Amino acid sequence: EADIYQTPRYLVIGTGKKITLECSQTMGHDKMYWYQQDPGMELHLIHYSYGVNSTEKGDLSSESTVSRIRTEHFPLTLESARPSHTSQYLCASGGQGYDTQYFGPGTRLTVL
Amino acid sequence: KNQVEQSPQSLIILEGKNCTLQCNYTVSPFSNLRWYKQDTGRGPVSLTIMTFSENTKSNGRYTATLDADTKQSSLHITASQLSDSASYICVVSETGANNLFFGTGTRLTVIP
């Protein structure tokens, strides 16, 4: 079983609020990822990191930002949430090369 | 355009029956293909990973096949159980890159 955690699991907030979605893993993986998934739709990569102080934007444009100050921690921040940000956010981590990605349980975000 | 297409979009089967899910892809150059199981409201969990040289791989009652020439993969579930009810996602990876291409998934419902 993968040791990757996300908090909170569910979040309902009002428009304009600043939020941070937490993601941490205890597997020592260098690579970490954030995906956005709408119900019944495919996952879209919004951010990834190959190691500490390394962050890149993914295929899907997102107004969120990420940071990677520690290997095990990869938080995602929305400075001013909007209803269009309502979605499920999945964090994943993976080792080097040919390796599976381990997903966290996800955060279901609803912005009113 | 999504480079990974899955069919059927949804499937309902009786408990104990077998079923086969399909995945066609156009991703090139191809590195590996993964099948994930995603329970509702949870993160995906890896079932199998196959490289170019692998034709079949099993994980318990799950058997994945890969035809790299026709760019097709299938996931066969034997003797289905109620707990198999989930979305099954096909993910294809490019060689030398960190791009993962996700299918929209097949929603499987197993009924008693």
PDB file of all heavy atoms in Angstrom, chain A residues 12 17 19 21 30 33 35 40 44 51 56 58-59 61 63-64 67 83 86-88 91 95-97 106-107 109:
ATOM      1  N   VAL A  12     -15.186  22.681   1.231  1.00  0.00           N
ATOM      2  CA  VAL A  12     -16.185  23.568   0.639  1.00  0.00           C
ATOM      3  C   VAL A  12     -15.875  24.976   1.122  1.00  0.00           C
ATOM      4  O   VAL A  12     -15.845  25.221   2.329  1.00  0.00           O
ATOM      5  CB  VAL A  12     -17.615  23.169   1.050  1.00  0.00           C
ATOM      6  CG1 VAL A  12     -18.622  24.113   0.393  1.00  0.00           C
ATOM      7  CG2 VAL A  12     -17.905  21.728   0.670  1.00  0.00           C
ATOM      8  N   LYS A  17     -11.493  32.937  -1.466  1.00  0.00           N
ATOM      9  CA  LYS A  17     -10.669  32.449  -0.360  1.00  0.00           C
ATOM     10  C   LYS A  17      -9.356  31.864  -0.885  1.00  0.00           C
ATOM     11  O   LYS A  17      -9.294  31.317  -1.988  1.00  0.00           O
ATOM     12  CB  LYS A  17     -11.415  31.377   0.426  1.00  0.00           C
ATOM     13  CG  LYS A  17     -12.696  31.866   1.070  1.00  0.00           C
ATOM     14  CD  LYS A  17     -12.417  32.839   2.184  1.00  0.00           C
ATOM     15  CE  LYS A  17     -13.721  33.220   2.884  1.00  0.00           C
ATOM     16  NZ  LYS A  17     -13.503  34.231   3.952  1.00  0.00           N
ATOM     17  N   ILE A  19      -6.628  28.941  -0.455  1.00  0.00           N
ATOM     18  CA  ILE A  19      -6.589  27.591   0.108  1.00  0.00           C
ATOM     19  C   ILE A  19      -5.283  26.905  -0.258  1.00  0.00           C
ATOM     20  O   ILE A  19      -4.661  27.225  -1.275  1.00  0.00           O
ATOM     21  CB  ILE A  19      -7.759  26.712  -0.392  1.00  0.00           C
ATOM     22  CG1 ILE A  19      -7.703  26.586  -1.913  1.00  0.00           C
ATOM     23  CG2 ILE A  19      -9.091  27.268   0.066  1.00  0.00           C
ATOM     24  CD1 ILE A  19      -8.587  25.494  -2.454  1.00  0.00           C
ATOM     25  N   LEU A  21      -3.894  22.896  -0.564  1.00  0.00           N
ATOM     26  CA  LEU A  21      -4.136  21.450  -0.505  1.00  0.00           C
ATOM     27  C   LEU A  21      -2.799  20.773  -0.187  1.00  0.00           C
ATOM     28  O   LEU A  21      -1.800  21.011  -0.866  1.00  0.00           O
ATOM     29  CB  LEU A  21      -4.698  20.945  -1.831  1.00  0.00           C
ATOM     30  CG  LEU A  21      -5.922  21.684  -2.383  1.00  0.00           C
ATOM     31  CD1 LEU A  21      -6.433  20.988  -3.640  1.00  0.00           C
ATOM     32  CD2 LEU A  21      -7.005  21.811  -1.347  1.00  0.00           C
ATOM     33  N   ASP A  30      11.404  11.168  -5.626  1.00  0.00           N
ATOM     34  CA  ASP A  30      11.783  12.492  -6.115  1.00  0.00           C
ATOM     35  C   ASP A  30      10.660  13.142  -6.908  1.00  0.00           C
ATOM     36  O   ASP A  30      10.444  14.337  -6.852  1.00  0.00           O
ATOM     37  CB  ASP A  30      13.028  12.394  -7.002  1.00  0.00           C
ATOM     38  CG  ASP A  30      14.270  12.064  -6.197  1.00  0.00           C
ATOM     39  OD1 ASP A  30      14.366  12.552  -5.057  1.00  0.00           O
ATOM     40  OD2 ASP A  30      15.138  11.342  -6.713  1.00  0.00           O
ATOM     41  N   TYR A  33       3.423  14.780  -8.403  1.00  0.00           N
ATOM     42  CA  TYR A  33       2.525  15.292  -9.431  1.00  0.00           C
ATOM     43  C   TYR A  33       1.211  15.759  -8.791  1.00  0.00           C
ATOM     44  O   TYR A  33       0.771  15.217  -7.789  1.00  0.00           O
ATOM     45  CB  TYR A  33       2.187  14.191 -10.447  1.00  0.00           C
ATOM     46  CG  TYR A  33       3.383  13.453 -10.999  1.00  0.00           C
ATOM     47  CD1 TYR A  33       3.968  12.407 -10.289  1.00  0.00           C
ATOM     48  CD2 TYR A  33       3.917  13.792 -12.237  1.00  0.00           C
ATOM     49  CE1 TYR A  33       5.062  11.722 -10.795  1.00  0.00           C
ATOM     50  CE2 TYR A  33       5.009  13.111 -12.756  1.00  0.00           C
ATOM     51  CZ  TYR A  33       5.578  12.082 -12.026  1.00  0.00           C
ATOM     52  OH  TYR A  33       6.658  11.411 -12.544  1.00  0.00           O
ATOM     53  N   TYR A  35      -2.772  16.291 -10.215  1.00  0.00           N
ATOM     54  CA  TYR A  35      -3.719  16.124 -11.303  1.00  0.00           C
ATOM     55  C   TYR A  35      -5.059  16.726 -10.901  1.00  0.00           C
ATOM     56  O   TYR A  35      -5.423  16.758  -9.726  1.00  0.00           O
ATOM     57  CB  TYR A  35      -3.946  14.639 -11.618  1.00  0.00           C
ATOM     58  CG  TYR A  35      -2.753  13.922 -12.186  1.00  0.00           C
ATOM     59  CD1 TYR A  35      -1.830  13.300 -11.347  1.00  0.00           C
ATOM     60  CD2 TYR A  35      -2.553  13.850 -13.566  1.00  0.00           C
ATOM     61  CE1 TYR A  35      -0.735  12.632 -11.870  1.00  0.00           C
ATOM     62  CE2 TYR A  35      -1.466  13.171 -14.094  1.00  0.00           C
ATOM     63  CZ  TYR A  35      -0.566  12.569 -13.231  1.00  0.00           C
ATOM     64  OH  TYR A  35       0.510  11.895 -13.766  1.00  0.00           O
ATOM     65  N   GLY A  40     -16.112  11.722 -13.994  1.00  0.00           N
ATOM     66  CA  GLY A  40     -16.255  10.974 -15.229  1.00  0.00           C
ATOM     67  C   GLY A  40     -15.286  11.342 -16.319  1.00  0.00           C
ATOM     68  O   GLY A  40     -15.394  10.841 -17.443  1.00  0.00           O
ATOM     69  N   HIS A  44      -5.975  15.231 -15.625  1.00  0.00           N
ATOM     70  CA  HIS A  44      -5.143  16.195 -16.347  1.00  0.00           C
ATOM     71  C   HIS A  44      -4.018  16.650 -15.430  1.00  0.00           C
ATOM     72  O   HIS A  44      -4.264  17.085 -14.308  1.00  0.00           O
ATOM     73  CB  HIS A  44      -5.969  17.403 -16.791  1.00  0.00           C
ATOM     74  CG  HIS A  44      -6.952  17.090 -17.870  1.00  0.00           C
ATOM     75  ND1 HIS A  44      -6.578  16.874 -19.175  1.00  0.00           N
ATOM     76  CD2 HIS A  44      -8.289  16.957 -17.841  1.00  0.00           C
ATOM     77  CE1 HIS A  44      -7.644  16.633 -19.900  1.00  0.00           C
ATOM     78  NE2 HIS A  44      -8.697  16.665 -19.128  1.00  0.00           N
ATOM     79  N   GLY A  51      12.085  17.119  -7.976  1.00  0.00           N
ATOM     80  CA  GLY A  51      12.886  17.122  -6.765  1.00  0.00           C
ATOM     81  C   GLY A  51      12.739  18.447  -6.047  1.00  0.00           C
ATOM     82  O   GLY A  51      12.021  19.350  -6.486  1.00  0.00           O
ATOM     83  N   GLU A  56       7.249  22.386 -12.213  1.00  0.00           N
ATOM     84  CA  GLU A  56       6.916  22.679 -13.603  1.00  0.00           C
ATOM     85  C   GLU A  56       5.401  22.642 -13.762  1.00  0.00           C
ATOM     86  O   GLU A  56       4.707  21.919 -13.035  1.00  0.00           O
ATOM     87  CB  GLU A  56       7.524  21.641 -14.547  1.00  0.00           C
ATOM     88  CG  GLU A  56       9.031  21.523 -14.491  1.00  0.00           C
ATOM     89  CD  GLU A  56       9.738  22.696 -15.132  1.00  0.00           C
ATOM     90  OE1 GLU A  56       9.089  23.456 -15.876  1.00  0.00           O
ATOM     91  OE2 GLU A  56      10.950  22.864 -14.876  1.00  0.00           O
ATOM     92  N   GLY A  58       2.036  21.593 -15.822  1.00  0.00           N
ATOM     93  CA  GLY A  58       1.651  20.459 -16.629  1.00  0.00           C
ATOM     94  C   GLY A  58       0.911  20.853 -17.881  1.00  0.00           C
ATOM     95  O   GLY A  58       0.977  21.996 -18.329  1.00  0.00           O
ATOM     96  N   ASP A  59       0.174  19.880 -18.424  1.00  0.00           N
ATOM     97  CA  ASP A  59      -0.503  20.097 -19.699  1.00  0.00           C
ATOM     98  C   ASP A  59      -1.703  21.016 -19.584  1.00  0.00           C
ATOM     99  O   ASP A  59      -2.017  21.765 -20.507  1.00  0.00           O
ATOM    100  CB  ASP A  59      -0.965  18.749 -20.270  1.00  0.00           C
ATOM    101  CG  ASP A  59       0.183  17.784 -20.401  1.00  0.00           C
ATOM    102  OD1 ASP A  59       1.278  18.218 -20.801  1.00  0.00           O
ATOM    103  OD2 ASP A  59      -0.013  16.593 -20.096  1.00  0.00           O
ATOM    104  N   SER A  61      -3.603  24.134 -18.111  1.00  0.00           N
ATOM    105  CA  SER A  61      -3.330  25.410 -17.469  1.00  0.00           C
ATOM    106  C   SER A  61      -4.107  25.523 -16.165  1.00  0.00           C
ATOM    107  O   SER A  61      -5.289  25.183 -16.102  1.00  0.00           O
ATOM    108  CB  SER A  61      -3.731  26.551 -18.412  1.00  0.00           C
ATOM    109  OG  SER A  61      -3.575  27.801 -17.768  1.00  0.00           O
ATOM    110  N   GLU A  63      -4.536  27.983 -12.436  1.00  0.00           N
ATOM    111  CA  GLU A  63      -4.196  29.192 -11.694  1.00  0.00           C
ATOM    112  C   GLU A  63      -3.559  28.877 -10.357  1.00  0.00           C
ATOM    113  O   GLU A  63      -3.201  29.769  -9.608  1.00  0.00           O
ATOM    114  CB  GLU A  63      -5.460  30.046 -11.523  1.00  0.00           C
ATOM    115  CG  GLU A  63      -5.980  30.582 -12.852  1.00  0.00           C
ATOM    116  CD  GLU A  63      -7.405  31.088 -12.758  1.00  0.00           C
ATOM    117  OE1 GLU A  63      -8.083  30.822 -11.757  1.00  0.00           O
ATOM    118  OE2 GLU A  63      -7.849  31.764 -13.700  1.00  0.00           O
ATOM    119  N   SER A  64      -3.403  27.614 -10.064  1.00  0.00           N
ATOM    120  CA  SER A  64      -2.795  27.221  -8.808  1.00  0.00           C
ATOM    121  C   SER A  64      -1.273  27.289  -8.898  1.00  0.00           C
ATOM    122  O   SER A  64      -0.702  27.338  -9.992  1.00  0.00           O
ATOM    123  CB  SER A  64      -3.218  25.792  -8.452  1.00  0.00           C
ATOM    124  OG  SER A  64      -2.836  24.904  -9.479  1.00  0.00           O
ATOM    125  N   SER A  67       4.808  24.300  -4.505  1.00  0.00           N
ATOM    126  CA  SER A  67       6.161  24.480  -3.984  1.00  0.00           C
ATOM    127  C   SER A  67       6.711  23.122  -3.583  1.00  0.00           C
ATOM    128  O   SER A  67       5.950  22.197  -3.273  1.00  0.00           O
ATOM    129  CB  SER A  67       6.161  25.440  -2.787  1.00  0.00           C
ATOM    130  OG  SER A  67       5.414  24.902  -1.710  1.00  0.00           O
ATOM    131  N   PRO A  83     -15.534  29.381  -8.475  1.00  0.00           N
ATOM    132  CA  PRO A  83     -16.346  28.179  -8.754  1.00  0.00           C
ATOM    133  C   PRO A  83     -15.768  27.301  -9.849  1.00  0.00           C
ATOM    134  O   PRO A  83     -15.944  26.071  -9.811  1.00  0.00           O
ATOM    135  CB  PRO A  83     -17.699  28.783  -9.167  1.00  0.00           C
ATOM    136  CG  PRO A  83     -17.776  30.057  -8.405  1.00  0.00           C
ATOM    137  CD  PRO A  83     -16.364  30.598  -8.406  1.00  0.00           C
ATOM    138  N   THR A  86     -13.766  24.203  -8.855  1.00  0.00           N
ATOM    139  CA  THR A  86     -14.427  23.036  -8.278  1.00  0.00           C
ATOM    140  C   THR A  86     -14.035  21.788  -9.063  1.00  0.00           C
ATOM    141  O   THR A  86     -14.242  21.703 -10.273  1.00  0.00           O
ATOM    142  CB  THR A  86     -15.958  23.205  -8.305  1.00  0.00           C
ATOM    143  OG1 THR A  86     -16.309  24.294  -7.438  1.00  0.00           O
ATOM    144  CG2 THR A  86     -16.648  21.937  -7.848  1.00  0.00           C
ATOM    145  N   SER A  87     -13.449  20.817  -8.362  1.00  0.00           N
ATOM    146  CA  SER A  87     -12.948  19.619  -9.021  1.00  0.00           C
ATOM    147  C   SER A  87     -12.344  18.693  -7.965  1.00  0.00           C
ATOM    148  O   SER A  87     -12.324  19.015  -6.780  1.00  0.00           O
ATOM    149  CB  SER A  87     -11.867  19.994 -10.042  1.00  0.00           C
ATOM    150  OG  SER A  87     -11.510  18.884 -10.839  1.00  0.00           O
ATOM    151  N   GLN A  88     -11.877  17.536  -8.428  1.00  0.00           N
ATOM    152  CA  GLN A  88     -11.093  16.676  -7.551  1.00  0.00           C
ATOM    153  C   GLN A  88      -9.616  16.861  -7.902  1.00  0.00           C
ATOM    154  O   GLN A  88      -9.250  16.852  -9.076  1.00  0.00           O
ATOM    155  CB  GLN A  88     -11.484  15.212  -7.711  1.00  0.00           C
ATOM    156  CG  GLN A  88     -10.632  14.288  -6.845  1.00  0.00           C
ATOM    157  CD  GLN A  88     -11.214  12.906  -6.676  1.00  0.00           C
ATOM    158  OE1 GLN A  88     -12.335  12.654  -7.067  1.00  0.00           O
ATOM    159  NE2 GLN A  88     -10.478  12.006  -6.068  1.00  0.00           N
ATOM    160  N   CYS A  91      -3.001  13.947  -5.947  1.00  0.00           N
ATOM    161  CA  CYS A  91      -1.548  14.037  -5.843  1.00  0.00           C
ATOM    162  C   CYS A  91      -0.963  12.657  -6.076  1.00  0.00           C
ATOM    163  O   CYS A  91      -1.565  11.644  -5.676  1.00  0.00           O
ATOM    164  CB  CYS A  91      -1.173  14.554  -4.462  1.00  0.00           C
ATOM    165  SG  CYS A  91       0.597  14.721  -4.173  1.00  0.00           S
ATOM    166  N   GLY A  95       8.828   6.849  -8.376  1.00  0.00           N
ATOM    167  CA  GLY A  95      10.266   6.746  -8.298  1.00  0.00           C
ATOM    168  C   GLY A  95      10.915   7.088  -9.616  1.00  0.00           C
ATOM    169  O   GLY A  95      10.300   7.688 -10.490  1.00  0.00           O
ATOM    170  N   GLN A  96      12.118   6.666  -9.802  1.00  0.00           N
ATOM    171  CA  GLN A  96      12.848   6.965 -11.022  1.00  0.00           C
ATOM    172  C   GLN A  96      12.513   5.965 -12.113  1.00  0.00           C
ATOM    173  O   GLN A  96      12.199   4.808 -11.840  1.00  0.00           O
ATOM    174  CB  GLN A  96      14.355   6.910 -10.749  1.00  0.00           C
ATOM    175  CG  GLN A  96      14.844   8.000  -9.814  1.00  0.00           C
ATOM    176  CD  GLN A  96      14.694   9.374 -10.403  1.00  0.00           C
ATOM    177  OE1 GLN A  96      14.761   9.590 -11.595  1.00  0.00           O
ATOM    178  NE2 GLN A  96      14.435  10.342  -9.541  1.00  0.00           N
ATOM    179  N   GLY A  97      12.605   6.413 -13.356  1.00  0.00           N
ATOM    180  CA  GLY A  97      12.480   5.527 -14.502  1.00  0.00           C
ATOM    181  C   GLY A  97      11.147   4.820 -14.601  1.00  0.00           C
ATOM    182  O   GLY A  97      10.095   5.400 -14.379  1.00  0.00           O
ATOM    183  N   GLY A 106      -7.014  11.878  -2.866  1.00  0.00           N
ATOM    184  CA  GLY A 106      -7.657  13.002  -3.529  1.00  0.00           C
ATOM    185  C   GLY A 106      -8.285  13.990  -2.555  1.00  0.00           C
ATOM    186  O   GLY A 106      -8.606  13.658  -1.411  1.00  0.00           O
ATOM    187  N   THR A 107      -8.436  15.222  -3.029  1.00  0.00           N
ATOM    188  CA  THR A 107      -9.181  16.257  -2.314  1.00  0.00           C
ATOM    189  C   THR A 107     -10.313  16.715  -3.221  1.00  0.00           C
ATOM    190  O   THR A 107     -10.078  17.152  -4.344  1.00  0.00           O
ATOM    191  CB  THR A 107      -8.302  17.466  -1.964  1.00  0.00           C
ATOM    192  OG1 THR A 107      -7.316  17.073  -1.021  1.00  0.00           O
ATOM    193  CG2 THR A 107      -9.153  18.595  -1.383  1.00  0.00           C
ATOM    194  N   LEU A 109     -12.714  19.437  -3.963  1.00  0.00           N
ATOM    195  CA  LEU A 109     -12.871  20.861  -3.681  1.00  0.00           C
ATOM    196  C   LEU A 109     -14.146  21.390  -4.325  1.00  0.00           C
ATOM    197  O   LEU A 109     -14.394  21.176  -5.512  1.00  0.00           O
ATOM    198  CB  LEU A 109     -11.673  21.640  -4.231  1.00  0.00           C
ATOM    199  CG  LEU A 109     -11.766  23.172  -4.156  1.00  0.00           C
ATOM    200  CD1 LEU A 109     -11.795  23.628  -2.701  1.00  0.00           C
ATOM    201  CD2 LEU A 109     -10.614  23.829  -4.900  1.00  0.00           C
TER     202      LEU A 109
END
